[in-house]
Amino acid sequence: MKQSRRSQYLAAAVCAALGFAVAPAGEADGTAPVSSGPPLDVYNNFGFPMGFDVSKMDTSADPRQNFQRYAAGKWLDTATLPGDLGNLDAIGLVNKQVERRVASLLVDAAAASPSAKKGTPLQQVGDLYAAGMNVERLESLGVKPLQPEWERIAKIEGRKALAEEMARLTLLTNHPVFLDVSVSLEIRDPTRYVVSVIDPELTLPAREDYLEADLAPVRAAYVQTITDSLVLAGVPAEQAKARAAKVLAIETRIAGKKLTEEQKRDFNATYQTRSYADIKAALSNLDLDAYFQALGLPTGGDLMVSEVDAMKERNAVLAEYPLSDIKDYLQWEALRLMSPYLSPALVDAQAPLTRALTGQAELPKREQVVANAVANTLGHDLGQLYVERYFPAQSRSDAEALLNDVRAEFRLRLEQNTWLTPSTKAYALEKFDKIKIVVGYPDKWIDYSSVDVQRDDYFGDVTRLNEFAVRRALARLGTPPAPDAFSNPKNSLPTVVNAGYSPDMNGIEIPAAILQPPFYDPKADAGVNYCTLGAVIGHELTHSLDWMGRLFDANGALRDWWTPADVAAFDERSKNLINQGNAYEVLPGVHLNGQLSAGENLADIGGLMLGYSALETHLKANPQDDRKIDGLTPEQRCFLAWSQIWAEKIQPELLRTYAATNPHPPGAYRMVAPPSNQQAFYDAFGIRAGDKMWVDPKDRVTMW
Ligand SMILES: [Zn+2]
């Protein structure tokens, strides 16, 4: 449901329920066992079953004192973090399963594509993968495919040519270059498309990475990566070093004017309508007319904008730096964005930065890098092949039945709600009933068949696919809304292990890849399924009515429909939540940001509560299911299954990055915080005042 970059930005900011997708990585040979690794590894969950299982528990631990260990102590003791990952939890484990499936799919497609009909998913996916895996050819070409672009940049004279080149690079890379100009649904009126001008994200993930003294090692690693990459592209070493320092200096200036993660969550302040003339004046050193014309967009009228202060800083940079520096900067951007499609040595050059940001020792293997490229450019072709082979129709209907139970539970709670004002409550129900939930894959796939994908032209293939994607989005201006379901490579492709609520669509997407153990297990008991997939669905549903959801109406328009009294009641009820978050120490001296993580924590608490309530309703209607399994009641299995999906191994570097940028709290916290806000959890395990897991009722959070 997120076809535009603006929407992608929203989705990333809002949720994607389960968190930032773990950077996918891994073995590509879909069938052979890993020859160098130990016999039990990440691909077979270190010998544990994928679904909920008592063998992962440490039953010598006391659930009343240390629930994390009780729930998953054996798994935590046994699992090891693969070198190519910064963290590993159930999402990461399922990712590995999906990666292996996708890998075997890609290998098969590459073998079959030479005889497949031109323009079919099989031909395009197979030939693109084969092109990316032709390492010998890519090595022999080096940076040659990028050379014409570098030469064009070098020849730029004047502002018009500069703006045209920025627009051109946006088309080639499907990524904003210096400025983010695109066509998006108008955030306050999603019945129409508008042109948006947004200050693009910088390369380092958090503005703090540029600004805070103790993050100097991250910046040093970034400079190293830029220098190494430029040297590989033929720039003399001394010059490369100087250029890298300038890139960092320019981006640091802009970072100083960017919004904080918390500020970005205030959509009303973040997204504004400004006239074209206003923005043209703010960007007086850029030829905005030329930029727009190069993308085929009309100049004039109103624009949807975000982060104008940062844009003004970019404008100042354009005035203060000589054109030659700006050209160097554009050459670096072109190289950075296209290096995955050039010599593999350029991908390796990213190692210092990846290590500094995530702590992972190894980069993803070539097969995985190429698989990611296929997902990014031909996501729906890949999705079709995946669904055909791996997603049984039964999974779709099973998930739909479960989500209807959870949905009914939430509606009942809303009807019985006592703290919303009557008019807000009435609209909440109206909005709730309009939430569109889609499961597995889209009804209509994106058709890439007009794009020429050749087996021996990786760089050309990707640039053609990028241009297709950008032009397709730009062409929407003036047409009725027609969002693509399951189309965000990070959050919602059918091959992504995630689920997400999009407030601008008032819709939830549950991709095919998450509908497998431990999130959904057709063989598991109700206690387990309601508190894993059921809780995930509940989590997403609560997003429709939380800090973010309340800002968007039933049709997805940005319109705060709460009264001040509702906001006050909500804030009062969330105070404990923010206090709980702030009190939690992620690393020695590094605390969770209670405010930043409040939305996700609240969704976890609400989601688990809804999953649990739906379970109780189910058990009443199906008394035969109300029995002990492995000596555990359905209620105990519910909380244990929840906790097991969040058991996580993580590198401290990534924990630090997440604490600053990720609204999702770390796994160790998610394992226990949502249960410990529910009385049912204490009842299930006999936890009493004085026990370590006990949270006093006055400090707990109950929202829904
Ligand atoms: Zn969420």
Side-chain angles (χ1 to χ4, degrees):
M1 297 206 169
K2 311 137 197 130
Q3 86 292 355
S4 67
R5 282 197 292 270
R6 200 270 305 170
S7 281
Q8 287 183 15
Y9 171 77
L10 268 187
V14 174
C15 175
L18 294 172
F20 289 93
V22 179
E27 301 292 334
D29 181 349
T31 48
V34 186
S35 54
S36 57
L40 291 179
D41 65 6
V42 67
Y43 290 106
N44 44 37
N45 196 8
F46 313 97
F48 295 100
M50 281 300 289
F52 171 75
D53 203 83
V54 291
S55 66
K56 295 176 200 170
M57 298 167 61
D58 176 0
T59 49
S60 70
D62 181 349
R64 295 172 301 180
Q65 312 305 334
N66 188 341
F67 192 71
Q68 287 108 320
R69 275 219 62 86
Y70 179 69
K74 286 266 168 62
W75 184 86
L76 286 165
D77 288 344
T78 311
T80 51
L81 199 48
D84 61 349
L85 289 183
N87 74 331
L88 181 69
D89 57 9
I91 300 171
L93 285 164
V94 177
N95 255 328
K96 285 286 179 194
Q97 306 280 334
V98 173
E99 274 171 26
R100 271 238 270 219
R101 290 173 174 183
V102 167
S104 77
L105 230 164
L106 290 171
V107 169
D108 293 351
S113 57
S115 53
K117 189 167 173 269
K118 183 89 179 160
T120 57
L122 187 64
Q123 181 269 318
Q124 294 188 308
V125 166
D127 282 348
L128 184 65
Y129 183 72
M133 288 307 295
N134 192 344
V135 170
E136 215 168 288
R137 179 172 166 77
L138 293 170
E139 276 171 349
S140 76
L141 287 171
V143 291
K144 218 162 126 199
L146 187 66
Q147 217 53 53
E149 284 318 308
W150 269 40
E151 280 161 22
R152 288 176 67 98
I153 295 169
K155 284 188 196 138
I156 290 174
E157 280 178 40
R159 286 178 195 166
K160 184 165 183 284
L162 182 69
E164 283 168 354
E165 183 59 28
M166 286 176 182
R168 185 182 155 82
L169 288 174
T170 296
L171 287 169
L172 293 184
T173 63
N174 188 14
H175 197 281
V177 175
F178 209 73
L179 199 61
D180 185 353
V181 179
S182 61
V183 169
S184 316
L185 288 173
E186 159 59 49
I187 197 163
R188 291 174 181 83
D189 174 17
T191 62
R192 63 194 178 93
Y193 288 106
V194 290
V195 180
S196 62
V197 180
I198 287 167
D199 192 77
E201 294 303 306
L202 297 166
T203 305
L204 296 179
R207 67 192 284 284
E208 291 76 16
D209 290 327
Y210 291 95
L211 303 173
E212 286 185 3
D214 62 338
L215 295 174
V218 170
R219 295 189 286 277
Y222 183 33
V223 167
Q224 186 67 53
T225 287
I226 302 171
T227 308
D228 294 350
S229 304
L230 290 172
V231 167
L232 285 168
V235 177
E238 276 313 301
Q239 210 182 320
K241 238 172 145 177
R243 279 204 200 188
K246 235 172 269 174
V247 168
L248 182 67
I250 288 172
E251 293 186 351
T252 302
R253 275 189 63 162
I254 298 162
K257 299 289 179 185
K258 290 204 72 83
L259 298 177
T260 64
E261 293 298 318
E262 281 163 61
Q263 286 169 331
K264 276 188 212 159
R265 307 197 116 212
D266 180 356
F267 287 160
N268 267 308
T270 303
Y271 291 97
Q272 298 151 1
T273 301
R274 291 280 195 91
S275 70
Y276 179 86
D278 264 7
I279 297 304
K280 192 175 163 174
L283 289 167
S284 56
N285 298 314
L286 183 77
D287 189 336
L288 200 62
D289 289 350
Y291 200 122
F292 270 52
Q293 279 153 10
L295 293 178
L297 291 171
T299 55
D302 279 342
L303 304 172
M304 189 169 78
V305 304
S306 155
E307 296 201 270
V308 176
D309 284 349
M311 281 185 226
K312 285 180 179 164
E313 195 64 18
R314 288 179 192 267
N315 192 51
V317 164
L318 290 178
E320 290 165 35
Y321 283 81
L323 183 61
S324 58
D325 284 354
I326 304 298
K327 293 200 281 192
D328 286 351
Y329 185 78
L330 284 192
Q331 284 189 338
W332 158 243
E333 283 289 274
L335 178 63
R336 173 176 78 84
L337 294 166
M338 295 312 289
S339 59
Y341 319 109
L342 298 165
S343 171
L346 277 156
V347 178
D348 298 341
Q350 318 240 339
L353 183 58
T354 305
R355 203 170 298 131
L357 289 171
T358 67
Q360 65 193 64
E362 300 162 27
L363 290 175
K365 294 193 168 36
R366 180 71 197 167
E367 289 84 346
Q368 191 55 47
V369 173
V370 180
N372 291 348
V374 175
N376 284 334
T377 53
L378 286 170
H380 271 202
D381 270 4
L382 182 65
Q384 278 186 70
L385 298 177
Y386 181 88
V387 165
E388 271 167 28
R389 192 185 283 193
Y390 295 113
F391 191 64
Q394 185 66 33
S395 301
R396 206 182 197 189
S397 48
D398 286 352
E400 281 167 349
L402 189 61
L403 74 86
N404 284 332
D405 284 359
V406 177
R407 191 172 182 145
E409 203 63 43
F410 199 3
R411 197 178 200 289
L412 197 66
R413 300 249 163 183
L414 273 181
E415 289 164 13
Q416 293 166 352
N417 180 288
T418 53
W419 58 267
L420 287 169
T421 57
S423 63
T424 301
K425 183 167 147 177
Y427 192 77
L429 284 163
E430 195 182 324
K431 178 175 179 183
F432 187 79
D433 289 341
K434 274 197 165 179
I435 297 175
K436 295 177 291 285
I437 308 184
V438 283
V439 177
Y441 52 90
D443 291 328
K444 190 166 182 266
W445 299 97
I446 296 171
D447 177 5
Y448 311 91
S449 61
S450 63
V451 185
D452 181 19
V453 177
Q454 299 172 11
R455 204 174 174 84
D456 59 357
D457 185 16
Y458 194 41
F459 186 91
D461 289 342
V462 172
T463 54
R464 283 187 291 273
L465 286 163
N466 283 341
E467 183 162 353
F468 166 82
V470 178
R471 291 212 184 274
R472 188 170 177 272
L474 294 173
R476 293 203 147 112
L477 192 64
T479 68
D484 297 312
F486 294 100
S487 63
N488 184 318
K490 276 206 179 95
N491 298 324
S492 73
L493 282 183
T495 48
V496 172
V497 184
N498 201 358
Y501 172 74
S502 301
D504 53 343
M505 294 288 152
N506 195 26
I508 294 174
E509 291 174 321
I510 304 171
I514 198 172
L515 293 171
Q516 57 181 308
F519 294 100
Y520 182 74
D521 187 347
K523 293 198 285 291
D525 48 294
V528 167
N529 280 332
Y530 276 97
C531 295
T532 48
L533 184 62
V536 167
I537 293 163
H539 172 119
E540 297 310 324
L541 287 171
T542 70
H543 276 316
S544 66
L545 299 172
D546 65 7
W547 275 280
M548 203 64 67
R550 79 160 197 247
L551 300 176
F552 292 81
D553 70 15
N555 302 312
L558 180 65
R559 177 172 72 78
D560 189 351
W561 45 277
W562 283 25
T563 68
D566 296 305
V567 175
F570 184 91
D571 286 350
E572 182 58 35
R573 284 175 170 261
S574 28
K575 255 190 209 152
N576 284 342
L577 179 80
I578 295 170
N579 293 338
Q580 285 177 15
N582 285 335
Y584 184 78
E585 214 171 16
V586 173
L587 286 167
V590 181
H591 283 256
L592 199 61
N593 181 335
Q595 189 72 53
L596 176 65
S597 59
E600 293 306 322
N601 280 329
L602 187 62
D604 275 353
I605 292 171
L608 181 59
M609 182 273 295
L610 290 169
Y612 176 84
S613 305
L615 168 66
E616 292 302 293
T617 304
H618 171 89
L619 292 176
K620 269 188 209 114
N622 301 273
Q624 76 282 3
D625 285 352
D626 193 356
R627 62 191 162 89
K628 283 190 176 181
I629 301 174
D630 305 319
L632 298 165
T633 63
E635 290 79 9
Q636 289 174 327
R637 293 171 71 82
C638 155
F639 292 114
L640 287 165
W642 166 267
S643 206
Q644 282 193 355
I645 59 176
W646 298 114
E648 180 186 42
K649 309 289 273 188
I650 184 164
Q651 294 283 11
E653 290 87 346
L654 189 63
L655 205 44
R656 197 265 315 151
T657 299
Y658 277 5
T661 60
N662 194 340
H664 302 86
Y669 189 73
R670 298 181 90 168
M671 287 178 82
V672 289
S676 65
N677 281 289
Q678 271 193 68
Q679 185 54 40
F681 170 64
Y682 300 101
D683 296 342
F685 295 96
I687 300 167
R688 290 180 297 268
D691 292 334
K692 278 214 184 87
M693 298 317 301
W694 177 259
V695 175
D696 196 275
K698 72 169 170 33
D699 297 324
R700 295 180 201 163
V701 184
T702 313
M703 192 64 78
W704 304 114

mmCIF file of all heavy atoms in Angstrom, residues 592-625:
data_model
loop_
_atom_site.group_PDB
_atom_site.id
_atom_site.type_symbol
_atom_site.label_atom_id
_atom_site.label_comp_id
_atom_site.label_asym_id
_atom_site.label_seq_id
_atom_site.Cartn_x
_atom_site.Cartn_y
_atom_site.Cartn_z
ATOM 1 N N LEU A 592 16.416 3.212 27.032
ATOM 2 C CA LEU A 592 15.412 3.243 25.985
ATOM 3 C C LEU A 592 14.809 4.645 25.992
ATOM 4 O O LEU A 592 14.694 5.265 27.050
ATOM 5 C CB LEU A 592 14.339 2.200 26.325
ATOM 6 C CG LEU A 592 13.418 1.722 25.217
ATOM 7 C CD1 LEU A 592 14.220 1.054 24.111
ATOM 8 C CD2 LEU A 592 12.413 0.715 25.772
ATOM 9 N N ASN A 593 14.448 5.139 24.800
ATOM 10 C CA ASN A 593 13.773 6.431 24.712
ATOM 11 C C ASN A 593 12.268 6.164 24.837
ATOM 12 O O ASN A 593 11.625 5.712 23.893
ATOM 13 C CB ASN A 593 14.121 7.083 23.368
ATOM 14 C CG ASN A 593 13.490 8.444 23.204
ATOM 15 O OD1 ASN A 593 12.464 8.745 23.818
ATOM 16 N ND2 ASN A 593 14.106 9.268 22.370
ATOM 17 N N GLY A 594 11.735 6.413 26.027
ATOM 18 C CA GLY A 594 10.340 6.077 26.318
ATOM 19 C C GLY A 594 9.368 6.710 25.347
ATOM 20 O O GLY A 594 8.397 6.087 24.926
ATOM 21 N N GLN A 595 9.663 7.939 24.939
ATOM 22 C CA GLN A 595 8.759 8.650 24.028
ATOM 23 C C GLN A 595 8.830 8.070 22.618
ATOM 24 O O GLN A 595 7.814 7.781 22.009
ATOM 25 C CB GLN A 595 9.136 10.136 24.010
ATOM 26 C CG GLN A 595 8.152 11.020 23.274
ATOM 27 C CD GLN A 595 6.846 11.185 24.049
ATOM 28 O OE1 GLN A 595 6.853 11.545 25.214
ATOM 29 N NE2 GLN A 595 5.724 10.895 23.401
ATOM 30 N N LEU A 596 10.056 7.880 22.126
ATOM 31 C CA LEU A 596 10.236 7.351 20.764
ATOM 32 C C LEU A 596 9.620 5.956 20.630
ATOM 33 O O LEU A 596 9.040 5.603 19.611
ATOM 34 C CB LEU A 596 11.729 7.304 20.411
ATOM 35 C CG LEU A 596 12.116 6.690 19.059
ATOM 36 C CD1 LEU A 596 11.589 7.520 17.900
ATOM 37 C CD2 LEU A 596 13.629 6.533 18.942
ATOM 38 N N SER A 597 9.761 5.139 21.687
ATOM 39 C CA SER A 597 9.306 3.751 21.607
ATOM 40 C C SER A 597 7.873 3.579 22.090
ATOM 41 O O SER A 597 7.342 2.473 22.054
ATOM 42 C CB SER A 597 10.242 2.850 22.412
ATOM 43 O OG SER A 597 10.266 3.260 23.763
ATOM 44 N N ALA A 598 7.238 4.674 22.522
ATOM 45 C CA ALA A 598 5.915 4.550 23.143
ATOM 46 C C ALA A 598 4.885 3.945 22.190
ATOM 47 O O ALA A 598 4.090 3.091 22.581
ATOM 48 C CB ALA A 598 5.446 5.913 23.641
ATOM 49 N N GLY A 599 4.889 4.378 20.931
ATOM 50 C CA GLY A 599 3.896 3.885 19.985
ATOM 51 C C GLY A 599 3.993 2.379 19.798
ATOM 52 O O GLY A 599 2.983 1.666 19.803
ATOM 53 N N GLU A 600 5.215 1.882 19.648
ATOM 54 C CA GLU A 600 5.397 0.449 19.425
ATOM 55 C C GLU A 600 5.146 -0.360 20.702
ATOM 56 O O GLU A 600 4.566 -1.443 20.654
ATOM 57 C CB GLU A 600 6.795 0.170 18.868
ATOM 58 C CG GLU A 600 7.003 0.720 17.465
ATOM 59 C CD GLU A 600 5.953 0.242 16.488
ATOM 60 O OE1 GLU A 600 5.533 -0.924 16.579
ATOM 61 O OE2 GLU A 600 5.525 1.047 15.642
ATOM 62 N N ASN A 601 5.579 0.198 21.837
ATOM 63 C CA ASN A 601 5.305 -0.500 23.094
ATOM 64 C C ASN A 601 3.816 -0.627 23.341
ATOM 65 O O ASN A 601 3.316 -1.661 23.764
ATOM 66 C CB ASN A 601 5.931 0.266 24.268
ATOM 67 C CG ASN A 601 7.416 -0.026 24.391
ATOM 68 O OD1 ASN A 601 7.853 -1.111 24.048
ATOM 69 N ND2 ASN A 601 8.170 0.938 24.878
ATOM 70 N N LEU A 602 3.125 0.449 23.061
ATOM 71 C CA LEU A 602 1.685 0.443 23.277
ATOM 72 C C LEU A 602 1.017 -0.576 22.347
ATOM 73 O O LEU A 602 0.097 -1.292 22.749
ATOM 74 C CB LEU A 602 1.130 1.844 23.015
ATOM 75 C CG LEU A 602 -0.333 2.032 23.370
ATOM 76 C CD1 LEU A 602 -0.550 1.812 24.857
ATOM 77 C CD2 LEU A 602 -0.782 3.440 22.988
ATOM 78 N N ALA A 603 1.503 -0.640 21.111
ATOM 79 C CA ALA A 603 0.946 -1.597 20.152
ATOM 80 C C ALA A 603 1.226 -3.032 20.599
ATOM 81 O O ALA A 603 0.382 -3.912 20.452
ATOM 82 C CB ALA A 603 1.520 -1.349 18.762
ATOM 83 N N ASP A 604 2.413 -3.263 21.170
ATOM 84 C CA ASP A 604 2.722 -4.606 21.688
ATOM 85 C C ASP A 604 1.787 -4.967 22.839
ATOM 86 O O ASP A 604 1.253 -6.076 22.905
ATOM 87 C CB ASP A 604 4.170 -4.653 22.202
ATOM 88 C CG ASP A 604 5.176 -4.933 21.086
ATOM 89 O OD1 ASP A 604 4.753 -5.212 19.951
ATOM 90 O OD2 ASP A 604 6.391 -4.879 21.374
ATOM 91 N N ILE A 605 1.618 -4.020 23.757
ATOM 92 C CA ILE A 605 0.762 -4.288 24.916
ATOM 93 C C ILE A 605 -0.669 -4.553 24.452
ATOM 94 O O ILE A 605 -1.304 -5.533 24.845
ATOM 95 C CB ILE A 605 0.804 -3.091 25.902
ATOM 96 C CG1 ILE A 605 2.199 -2.996 26.542
ATOM 97 C CG2 ILE A 605 -0.275 -3.227 26.972
ATOM 98 C CD1 ILE A 605 2.416 -1.726 27.354
ATOM 99 N N GLY A 606 -1.166 -3.682 23.557
ATOM 100 C CA GLY A 606 -2.525 -3.849 23.055
ATOM 101 C C GLY A 606 -2.665 -5.127 22.236
ATOM 102 O O GLY A 606 -3.645 -5.862 22.357
ATOM 103 N N GLY A 607 -1.664 -5.402 21.393
ATOM 104 C CA GLY A 607 -1.728 -6.576 20.529
ATOM 105 C C GLY A 607 -1.773 -7.863 21.324
ATOM 106 O O GLY A 607 -2.585 -8.754 21.043
ATOM 107 N N LEU A 608 -0.927 -7.973 22.335
ATOM 108 C CA LEU A 608 -0.911 -9.193 23.139
ATOM 109 C C LEU A 608 -2.205 -9.317 23.943
ATOM 110 O O LEU A 608 -2.766 -10.410 24.079
ATOM 111 C CB LEU A 608 0.311 -9.202 24.073
ATOM 112 C CG LEU A 608 0.443 -10.455 24.942
ATOM 113 C CD1 LEU A 608 0.530 -11.728 24.104
ATOM 114 C CD2 LEU A 608 1.658 -10.355 25.864
ATOM 115 N N MET A 609 -2.681 -8.189 24.453
ATOM 116 C CA MET A 609 -3.939 -8.208 25.198
ATOM 117 C C MET A 609 -5.072 -8.701 24.295
ATOM 118 O O MET A 609 -5.887 -9.529 24.700
ATOM 119 C CB MET A 609 -4.212 -6.793 25.722
ATOM 120 C CG MET A 609 -5.447 -6.622 26.553
ATOM 121 S SD MET A 609 -6.883 -6.307 25.546
ATOM 122 C CE MET A 609 -6.439 -4.729 24.830
ATOM 123 N N LEU A 610 -5.103 -8.229 23.050
ATOM 124 C CA LEU A 610 -6.164 -8.643 22.122
ATOM 125 C C LEU A 610 -6.015 -10.113 21.741
ATOM 126 O O LEU A 610 -7.000 -10.844 21.664
ATOM 127 C CB LEU A 610 -6.138 -7.771 20.863
ATOM 128 C CG LEU A 610 -6.587 -6.331 21.073
ATOM 129 C CD1 LEU A 610 -6.278 -5.489 19.832
ATOM 130 C CD2 LEU A 610 -8.074 -6.261 21.398
ATOM 131 N N GLY A 611 -4.774 -10.540 21.493
ATOM 132 C CA GLY A 611 -4.541 -11.942 21.182
ATOM 133 C C GLY A 611 -5.003 -12.827 22.331
ATOM 134 O O GLY A 611 -5.688 -13.837 22.128
ATOM 135 N N TYR A 612 -4.654 -12.403 23.550
ATOM 136 C CA TYR A 612 -5.040 -13.174 24.733
ATOM 137 C C TYR A 612 -6.566 -13.209 24.881
ATOM 138 O O TYR A 612 -7.150 -14.265 25.124
ATOM 139 C CB TYR A 612 -4.402 -12.557 25.988
ATOM 140 C CG TYR A 612 -4.832 -13.242 27.258
ATOM 141 C CD1 TYR A 612 -4.183 -14.394 27.698
ATOM 142 C CD2 TYR A 612 -5.908 -12.764 28.006
ATOM 143 C CE1 TYR A 612 -4.600 -15.054 28.844
ATOM 144 C CE2 TYR A 612 -6.329 -13.408 29.145
ATOM 145 C CZ TYR A 612 -5.682 -14.553 29.567
ATOM 146 O OH TYR A 612 -6.104 -15.202 30.694
ATOM 147 N N SER A 613 -7.214 -12.054 24.713
ATOM 148 C CA SER A 613 -8.677 -12.011 24.859
ATOM 149 C C SER A 613 -9.363 -12.864 23.802
ATOM 150 O O SER A 613 -10.341 -13.551 24.081
ATOM 151 C CB SER A 613 -9.195 -10.577 24.724
ATOM 152 O OG SER A 613 -8.540 -9.747 25.624
ATOM 153 N N ALA A 614 -8.843 -12.809 22.577
ATOM 154 C CA ALA A 614 -9.424 -13.629 21.510
ATOM 155 C C ALA A 614 -9.244 -15.111 21.838
ATOM 156 O O ALA A 614 -10.122 -15.931 21.558
ATOM 157 C CB ALA A 614 -8.775 -13.289 20.172
ATOM 158 N N LEU A 615 -8.121 -15.442 22.456
ATOM 159 C CA LEU A 615 -7.897 -16.825 22.886
ATOM 160 C C LEU A 615 -8.949 -17.247 23.903
ATOM 161 O O LEU A 615 -9.532 -18.332 23.793
ATOM 162 C CB LEU A 615 -6.485 -16.954 23.494
ATOM 163 C CG LEU A 615 -6.190 -18.256 24.254
ATOM 164 C CD1 LEU A 615 -6.200 -19.459 23.304
ATOM 165 C CD2 LEU A 615 -4.838 -18.175 24.977
ATOM 166 N N GLU A 616 -9.201 -16.383 24.897
ATOM 167 C CA GLU A 616 -10.183 -16.722 25.932
ATOM 168 C C GLU A 616 -11.568 -16.926 25.316
ATOM 169 O O GLU A 616 -12.290 -17.851 25.682
ATOM 170 C CB GLU A 616 -10.220 -15.630 27.008
ATOM 171 C CG GLU A 616 -8.948 -15.561 27.855
ATOM 172 C CD GLU A 616 -8.622 -16.884 28.563
ATOM 173 O OE1 GLU A 616 -9.381 -17.286 29.466
ATOM 174 O OE2 GLU A 616 -7.620 -17.527 28.186
ATOM 175 N N THR A 617 -11.915 -16.049 24.366
ATOM 176 C CA THR A 617 -13.210 -16.197 23.680
ATOM 177 C C THR A 617 -13.249 -17.528 22.925
ATOM 178 O O THR A 617 -14.239 -18.253 22.958
ATOM 179 C CB THR A 617 -13.413 -15.026 22.696
ATOM 180 O OG1 THR A 617 -13.295 -13.806 23.440
ATOM 181 C CG2 THR A 617 -14.764 -15.083 22.030
ATOM 182 N N HIS A 618 -12.150 -17.837 22.270
ATOM 183 C CA HIS A 618 -12.066 -19.094 21.513
ATOM 184 C C HIS A 618 -12.219 -20.303 22.447
ATOM 185 O O HIS A 618 -12.917 -21.260 22.123
ATOM 186 C CB HIS A 618 -10.725 -19.163 20.769
ATOM 187 C CG HIS A 618 -10.451 -20.498 20.148
ATOM 188 N ND1 HIS A 618 -10.853 -20.826 18.869
ATOM 189 C CD2 HIS A 618 -9.831 -21.611 20.648
ATOM 190 C CE1 HIS A 618 -10.494 -22.077 18.611
ATOM 191 N NE2 HIS A 618 -9.865 -22.576 19.668
ATOM 192 N N LEU A 619 -11.565 -20.233 23.606
ATOM 193 C CA LEU A 619 -11.605 -21.383 24.529
ATOM 194 C C LEU A 619 -13.018 -21.591 25.079
ATOM 195 O O LEU A 619 -13.435 -22.730 25.309
ATOM 196 C CB LEU A 619 -10.608 -21.183 25.677
ATOM 197 C CG LEU A 619 -9.124 -21.228 25.279
ATOM 198 C CD1 LEU A 619 -8.226 -20.926 26.484
ATOM 199 C CD2 LEU A 619 -8.741 -22.579 24.665
ATOM 200 N N LYS A 620 -13.730 -20.495 25.274
ATOM 201 C CA LYS A 620 -15.112 -20.627 25.752
ATOM 202 C C LYS A 620 -15.967 -21.344 24.719
ATOM 203 O O LYS A 620 -16.796 -22.192 25.048
ATOM 204 C CB LYS A 620 -15.701 -19.237 26.044
ATOM 205 C CG LYS A 620 -15.467 -18.832 27.498
ATOM 206 C CD LYS A 620 -16.215 -17.560 27.850
ATOM 207 C CE LYS A 620 -15.458 -16.819 28.933
ATOM 208 N NZ LYS A 620 -14.922 -15.537 28.478
ATOM 209 N N ALA A 621 -15.753 -21.008 23.468
ATOM 210 C CA ALA A 621 -16.547 -21.615 22.395
ATOM 211 C C ALA A 621 -16.037 -23.017 22.041
ATOM 212 O O ALA A 621 -16.765 -23.822 21.468
ATOM 213 C CB ALA A 621 -16.523 -20.720 21.161
ATOM 214 N N ASN A 622 -14.783 -23.289 22.368
ATOM 215 C CA ASN A 622 -14.165 -24.585 22.020
ATOM 216 C C ASN A 622 -13.517 -25.205 23.261
ATOM 217 O O ASN A 622 -12.285 -25.276 23.360
ATOM 218 C CB ASN A 622 -13.102 -24.395 20.939
ATOM 219 C CG ASN A 622 -13.661 -23.783 19.664
ATOM 220 O OD1 ASN A 622 -14.155 -24.491 18.796
ATOM 221 N ND2 ASN A 622 -13.601 -22.468 19.573
ATOM 222 N N PRO A 623 -14.351 -25.648 24.223
ATOM 223 C CA PRO A 623 -13.787 -26.120 25.497
ATOM 224 C C PRO A 623 -12.796 -27.280 25.326
ATOM 225 O O PRO A 623 -11.925 -27.472 26.172
ATOM 226 C CB PRO A 623 -15.020 -26.535 26.307
ATOM 227 C CG PRO A 623 -16.164 -26.536 25.365
ATOM 228 C CD PRO A 623 -15.812 -25.694 24.201
ATOM 229 N N GLN A 624 -12.919 -28.010 24.217
ATOM 230 C CA GLN A 624 -11.971 -29.124 24.005
ATOM 231 C C GLN A 624 -10.540 -28.619 23.862
ATOM 232 O O GLN A 624 -9.580 -29.362 24.082
ATOM 233 C CB GLN A 624 -12.393 -29.970 22.790
ATOM 234 C CG GLN A 624 -12.118 -29.374 21.414
ATOM 235 C CD GLN A 624 -13.146 -28.291 21.011
ATOM 236 O OE1 GLN A 624 -14.052 -27.919 21.781
ATOM 237 N NE2 GLN A 624 -12.998 -27.769 19.794
ATOM 238 N N ASP A 625 -10.361 -27.344 23.497
ATOM 239 C CA ASP A 625 -9.008 -26.781 23.368
ATOM 240 C C ASP A 625 -8.446 -26.299 24.699
ATOM 241 O O ASP A 625 -7.273 -25.951 24.796
ATOM 242 C CB ASP A 625 -9.010 -25.585 22.391
ATOM 243 C CG ASP A 625 -9.119 -26.049 20.943
ATOM 244 O OD1 ASP A 625 -9.033 -27.273 20.714
ATOM 245 O OD2 ASP A 625 -9.292 -25.185 20.058
#
